[in-house]
Amino acid sequence: MLKKTLKKLIATALAVATVATTMVAPVSASTLTPKKSHSKAQITEYVDYFNDITDRYAFRPDGYVPLYIDGTHDGSQMYASWQMTKLLQNTPGITSEQKADMKKAADTWKRSYLSERMILVYWIKWTRMYHYIDEKVCLSQSKSWAPRCKAYAKKMYNETNAYISGKSKYNPKLANELKKFNKQRLNIYNKAIDTWFYKMSKKQRAKWGGNISSGGKDGGSLVLMSSYISHCLSKNDLVIDPYYTCGGNAGSTKLDDYGDKYFYSSKTLKLNGYDVSKNAPNRIWNNHIEWKRW
């Protein structure tokens, strides 16, 4: 991309007036067409805007983790930015140079969005594992649950691995990291399940829950297998329900916490959702990614 200052000179020369966990298949660039005509000045404003923000907003400074983790088809600003930069390419009046810039920007936003998706799928699959344990097993002491738990863990592992593998070319570094954590989680779950069902005494199990009186002689000990698995995961700096935990603790050091723990988006870029002032960076961004109205 040309330097920002040079682009503004080009814009001045061109413009004479002032002035846009469901895996739905994205709309192809060829079908994205504007709903109305746009002046050269308006096109230039949008092109210049995306030339300015793309490298800063698409990924955090580490270069491989997206700025936000949403990953949903409708809620992701990365997805909307991807669609907008594709739509701009099909806007009548755009110059060949501007079109080339937007093609490059769209490629970056696509990588950012699919990186979001990889993280979100990883989070959601293992959060489902947590709920499977917490809702179906924590009140049971039956050994019959052990193979079912391990089978479900393998299912979550396979589904996560398959999705990440399919998108790995868009962000190899992140994909390799997530696949490593994915395997680590499977191994920890399997080991914890074996220990819980086959190696722990009743007394050892009881310490992971509280004692809730149900009239029984032993006080009706509630065995909370999820507490034990959470303990096993935390020893490896992993959280049991990553989808709901990540991002909630900005100071977290969990290995699979891809939330904005260093406040890059909120403090450095000042993309604060609660700032509704006219010139708030997040509001300006949202105003430029209403691609369905372009």
Side-chain angles (χ1 to χ4, degrees), residues 163-217:
Y163 186 83
I164 294 170
S165 295
K167 300 293 184 289
S168 62
K169 67 180 180 180
Y170 297 105
N171 194 335
K173 182 174 180 180
L174 178 62
N176 288 337
E177 189 172 73
L178 287 172
K179 288 169 87 169
K180 179 186 71 176
F181 293 157
N182 193 39
K183 182 65 173 177
Q184 191 175 3
R185 280 183 175 273
L186 177 65
N187 292 339
I188 290 171
Y189 264 97
N190 283 338
K191 185 176 180 180
I193 289 166
D194 285 341
T195 300
W196 179 266
F197 282 109
Y198 301 113
K199 298 177 182 178
M200 275 190 179
S201 66
K202 187 175 181 180
K203 183 178 180 180
Q204 287 174 315
R205 292 184 187 186
K207 80 173 187 176
W208 297 105
N211 284 326
I212 298 179
S213 177
S214 60
K217 189 174 181 181

Side-chain angles (χ1 to χ4, degrees), residues 50-197:
F50 282 105
N51 282 335
D52 181 47
I53 71 163
T54 294
D55 290 337
R56 293 183 296 125
Y57 285 18
F59 291 95
R60 297 199 317 229
D62 47 35
Y64 74 102
V65 177
L67 180 68
Y68 288 133
I69 314 299
D70 184 296
T72 60
H73 185 67
D74 293 321
S76 169
Q77 288 172 299
M78 277 60 177
Y79 177 79
S81 297
W82 175 25
Q83 299 302 292
M84 191 66 220
T85 48
K86 289 200 298 181
L87 184 55
L88 280 165
Q89 295 174 55
N90 295 335
T91 301
I94 191 170
T95 68
S96 58
E97 182 187 353
Q98 290 174 325
K99 188 171 184 177
D101 281 351
M102 290 302 93
K103 184 178 186 305
K104 186 175 181 180
D107 289 343
T108 299
W109 288 113
K110 180 178 182 179
R111 289 190 297 106
S112 178
Y113 170 67
L114 292 175
S115 297
E116 275 192 305
R117 287 294 308 168
M118 284 193 283
I119 293 173
L120 191 70
V121 167
Y122 166 76
W123 279 356
I124 289 176
K125 295 297 183 182
W126 286 108
T127 293
R128 286 178 183 169
M129 184 67 210
Y130 158 68
H131 285 296
Y132 185 85
I133 293 287
D134 198 50
E135 293 170 6
K136 297 189 176 183
V137 187
C138 68
L139 301 182
S140 173
Q141 299 182 44
S142 171
K143 292 183 179 181
S144 68
W145 280 104
R148 297 188 220 179
C149 290
K150 295 179 78 169
Y152 198 79
K154 187 64 180 291
K155 174 180 169 65
M156 295 299 97
Y157 167 80
N158 286 339
E159 290 178 358
T160 302
N161 197 64
Y163 186 83
I164 294 170
S165 295
K167 300 293 184 289
S168 62
K169 67 180 180 180
Y170 297 105
N171 194 335
K173 182 174 180 180
L174 178 62
N176 288 337
E177 189 172 73
L178 287 172
K179 288 169 87 169
K180 179 186 71 176
F181 293 157
N182 193 39
K183 182 65 173 177
Q184 191 175 3
R185 280 183 175 273
L186 177 65
N187 292 339
I188 290 171
Y189 264 97
N190 283 338
K191 185 176 180 180
I193 289 166
D194 285 341
T195 300
W196 179 266
F197 282 109

